[in-house]
Amino acid sequence: MFPDGFVWGVSTSAYQIEGATREGGRGVSVWDTFCATPDKIRNGDNADIACDHYNRFPEDIALMSELGVHAYRFSVAWPRIQPNGQGPANPEGLDFYDRLVDALCEAGISPVTTLYHWDTPQALEDAGGWLVKDTAERFAEYAAIVGERLADRVNMWIPLNEPMVETLFGYALGEYAPGKALLFDAMPAAHYQNLAHGFAVSALRSVGAKAVGTANNHSPVWPATRSEQDLQAAAALSAVINWMYSDPMVKGSYPDEVIPYLPAGFADDLAKIAAPLDFYGVNYYEPQGVAAPGEGNPMPFELRPVDGYPLTTNDSPVVPDGLREFLTTLKARYGEQLPPVYITESGCSFDGIQDQQRIDYHTEHLAALAKAMSEGVDVRGYFVWSLLDNFEWSKGYQPRFGLVHIDYETLARTPKDSFHWYRKLIGGVA
Ligand SMILES: O=C(O)[C@H](O)[C@@H](O)[C@H](O)[C@H](O)CO
């Protein structure tokens, strides 16, 4: 089903697995602050310990060796490198990722590095965070520091993970750190993250990065009916959750629907954002339902559930064909401008070590992926979210996305049935 050279990987992120939040000179991030704020995280959980990957990464690399993955996507914690988001690097922070990357290379696992997965240094957030251009400039410096140190061994770089989620949940709705509920006044955060992406692509190239791409989360948008109003709502929502990030990164322009909300002078930044990419990373989980806004709703759309599909324990509908639908839509929108694609994340939350539902999820999504490839979409790899159960942001530790079970009391790691299924698949015996 998949060509030779197809990359099989797993993904994680720093704040969700590392723990050791007060070790190694790490500074405070917006998520440390958010977790310490009452009623923000289910069960009052926090990631001070998480999977303690910071101290146990050799064990996790041994699990990845057993799994036989070709690549491991992890993120670097900005507050470990620059505790206040600017100035000289924290040597202990750089040393940690140096040791992690060396151990991956020794194990024959290709390092895929995300520079930012939502853990903004609190000091930068206090200065405006992604609502101000200065943060994009600080990000360029941070990218150069990390790139300088690791570019000789890291094969694929991803400046930002899912700027859409950071904008929507962090700045528009306030459900994620930094917890701002600005609705459409959050749009500058989208633009300045896009600009930070462009700056980082150039900074990484200047230190010899081998390949640079994205990890944008995308959802096909399904209107409740074919009425003109619902179709308009669908176009507006898709502009906000999909095209507002891919359009400027791939073709250097913004969809018309969002232009009224962008900061003055945004057009001057478009060429920097559209720095050429080596790959386009897609994080896919589920489609998004939508309808025209009801009476008194100022938004140009109203979110609707996608009914009629099995649900995960995270209340996500399982819709494998949504992946094929979105990839063929992406190809149709950008044609030859679309770089080779990687699925940089896809996964599901189910309980237990006997996790047949997770095996079914990935089996069906891979079938949909193969179909999209047979329809002409150039896909080069698939990264399972996630290697380990981990801290699922405002939902704490309840949702379990891992191929490996974590006992949060003892931190014991236990491969699930899906781990052994994936190992066989990669080994060509599934
Ligand atoms: O896609 C995301 O939201 C993030 O990249 C991950 O950090 C999540 O944990 C995962 O997707 C499960 O929801």
Side-chain angles (χ1 to χ4, degrees), residues 16 117-118 161-162 283 285 314 345 385 392-393 401:
Q16 296 178 272
H117 201 126
W118 310 343
N161 179 72
E162 300 184 355
N283 294 0
Y285 288 89
N314 204 26
E345 276 183 32
W385 183 273
E392 179 54 24
W393 309 113
F401 281 83

Side-chain angles (χ1 to χ4, degrees), residues 113 115 146-147 150-151 154-159 204 209-213 279:
T113 304
L115 281 171
V146 179
L150 303 178
V154 167
N155 292 317
M156 294 167 72
W157 291 89
I158 294 163
L204 289 166
K210 297 186 184 86
V212 189
F279 65 89

Side-chain angles (χ1 to χ4, degrees), residues 32-359:
D32 300 301
T33 306
F34 199 63
C35 288
T37 310
D39 307 325
K40 291 298 183 186
I41 313 294
R42 191 177 287 174
N43 307 325
D45 291 340
N46 66 54
D48 288 350
I49 298 174
C51 310
D52 192 31
H53 175 78
Y54 183 78
N55 297 303
R56 296 166 187 253
F57 72 89
E59 190 182 343
D60 297 331
I61 292 179
L63 284 163
M64 286 188 265
S65 292
E66 185 189 344
L67 198 50
V69 288
H70 306 133
Y72 171 49
R73 177 183 168 224
F74 65 95
S75 79
V76 173
W78 194 352
R80 271 195 202 289
I81 305 301
Q82 292 178 307
N84 294 313
Q86 55 192 309
N90 163 32
E92 282 185 275
L94 277 175
D95 289 351
F96 168 66
Y97 295 105
D98 220 13
R99 285 182 279 117
L100 174 65
V101 166
D102 277 348
L104 286 167
C105 294
E106 235 159 80
I109 298 170
S110 169
V112 176
T113 304
T114 308
L115 281 171
Y116 175 77
H117 201 126
W118 310 343
D119 44 1
T120 313
Q122 185 62 48
L124 281 185
E125 187 57 43
D126 297 343
W130 289 115
L131 295 170
V132 299
K133 189 170 190 172
D134 183 65
T135 303
E137 281 145 9
R138 300 284 77 70
F139 190 73
E141 292 163 4
Y142 160 65
I145 289 171
V146 179
E148 192 100 46
R149 186 64 169 268
L150 303 178
D152 59 328
R153 287 153 287 153
V154 167
N155 292 317
M156 294 167 72
W157 291 89
I158 294 163
L160 290 99
N161 179 72
E162 300 184 355
M164 186 285 268
V165 170
E166 177 72 9
T167 304
L168 189 63
F169 290 94
Y171 287 89
L173 302 176
E175 292 173 24
Y176 277 11
K180 294 193 167 62
L182 306 170
L183 296 180
F184 272 78
D185 292 341
M187 287 297 204
H191 178 64
Y192 292 129
Q193 285 182 85
N194 285 339
L195 183 57
H197 160 87
F199 283 160
V201 173
S202 307
L204 289 166
R205 297 242 184 261
S206 71
V207 295
K210 297 186 184 86
V212 189
T214 69
N216 287 342
N217 69 311
H218 285 294
S219 296
V221 172
W222 291 1
T225 72
R226 306 306 298 174
S227 72
E228 192 43 43
Q229 295 81 352
D230 284 356
L231 291 176
Q232 262 177 14
L237 178 64
S238 200
V240 168
I241 67 171
N242 289 312
W243 313 133
M244 181 158 68
Y245 304 91
S246 53
D247 278 10
M249 292 179 185
V250 174
K251 63 175 185 174
S253 60
Y254 275 107
D256 295 343
E257 291 91 343
V258 303
I259 288 178
Y261 307 101
L262 296 171
F266 75 87
D268 303 337
D269 298 329
L270 287 170
K272 294 188 194 79
I273 299 172
L277 298 173
D278 302 292
F279 65 89
Y280 189 82
V282 170
N283 294 0
Y284 173 82
Y285 288 89
E286 59 196 276
Q288 177 60 60
V290 69
E295 204 58 45
N297 174 352
M299 304 285 273
F301 47 69
E302 207 160 88
L303 300 184
R304 291 289 176 82
V306 168
D307 296 328
Y309 293 86
L311 292 178
T312 70
T313 60
N314 204 26
D315 295 329
S316 294
V318 177
V319 188
D321 191 60
L323 175 59
R324 181 201 59 74
E325 179 187 336
F326 183 78
L327 291 175
T328 50
T329 304
L330 194 69
K331 181 67 184 171
R333 188 175 183 89
Y334 302 119
E336 294 317 304
Q337 286 181 297
L338 183 67
V341 170
Y342 286 81
I343 306 303
T344 35
E345 276 183 32
S346 188
C348 53
S349 167
F350 287 110
D351 293 334
I353 289 173
Q354 279 77 46
D355 57 341
Q356 183 59 40
Q357 292 161 302
R358 180 169 290 105
I359 295 172

